[in-house]
Amino acid sequence: VAKTRGGKTWAARSLVAHALLDPTCELFVVNGKDVAHDWRPMKAACRRYVAVDPGDGVQAVLDLLAEIRAIAKGRKDTPPDQLTPVFVLLEEWKAVRDEAMNAGKKVADQLDKEIGTLGALASGFGIHILTIAQRGDSSYVPMGLKANIGQRVIGLVSDPREAAYAIGAQPKVLAGVVG
């Protein structure tokens, strides 16, 4: 979580590049802002890359999430030391969610359910989810996913409450951070 120009994509690129040093790693990218210089250059390294443009792409995201869920299901009996890494990068998830809302509440609810399910299953099956967001609230990071994110990196934020919220601080802690 960080404000615009706060280093989110730079930090994420470092993590993804490191992961891709492992030739068995599979990378899935959902890109809500598909800017040419951000993630598009890594498209060739991706097992699947989905860019969501206004009015387009939500079904492709749902298909991608279903594919990852199928990978998880296929790993049920795989010992942990034999799991190959899968990285799922969610860039500008809010834009993806907004497109789903434009397609209708039923589509948005389905998207929320899929990402929440993936969040709950991921770590047990060698699937690592990296979410890049400007804020930590549920419109940027879905609650079903946020509840299952163990590590959080907070960059430069406009308001200290954003950082506190992103790490899941309780209201009393928030008062001490902001106060």
Side-chain angles (χ1 to χ4, degrees):
V1 173
K3 69 180 187 175
T4 300
R5 311 290 313 152
K8 300 177 301 291
T9 300
W10 177 85
R13 274 196 210 112
S14 297
L15 292 169
V16 170
H18 181 78
L20 289 175
L21 290 173
D22 180 346
T24 66
C25 181
E26 295 184 286
L27 176 62
F28 290 81
V29 173
V30 175
N31 193 342
K33 68 175 186 180
D34 200 32
V35 177
H37 62 275
D38 276 353
W39 293 102
R40 211 180 299 162
M42 285 192 175
K43 190 173 183 177
C46 296
R47 174 167 169 174
R48 188 122 178 236
Y49 179 98
V50 174
V52 177
D53 295 315
D56 184 34
V58 175
Q59 186 57 54
V61 173
L62 289 168
D63 294 345
L64 178 143
L65 295 174
E67 183 177 345
I68 298 166
R69 189 171 12 90
I71 290 170
K73 186 176 180 180
R75 293 175 166 210
K76 284 190 340 189
D77 296 322
T78 305
D81 63 332
Q82 293 179 18
L83 292 172
T84 56
V86 172
F87 260 71
V88 181
L89 173 71
L90 306 175
E91 167 81 50
E92 295 292 342
W93 184 260
K94 184 176 185 323
V96 176
R97 180 91 181 25
D98 289 349
E99 282 304 311
M101 286 298 289
N102 290 340
K105 184 167 175 15
K106 184 176 178 182
V107 174
D109 288 348
Q110 182 182 2
L111 186 69
D112 290 346
K113 180 181 176 198
E114 289 294 330
I115 198 65
T117 299
L118 180 60
L121 294 174
S123 65
F125 296 107
I127 299 170
H128 311 279
I129 302 172
L130 181 57
T131 304
I132 303 170
Q134 292 181 11
R135 296 178 56 192
D137 66 41
S138 62
S139 64
Y140 286 81
V141 181
M143 293 309 289
L145 181 59
K146 184 176 178 182
N148 291 292
I149 296 175
Q151 294 79 29
R152 297 171 189 181
V153 176
I154 311 298
L156 183 62
V157 292
S158 299
D159 183 336
R161 289 176 290 196
E162 285 295 326
Y165 184 83
I167 63 170
Q170 297 300 316
K172 287 183 181 180
V173 174
L174 283 173
V177 169
V178 178

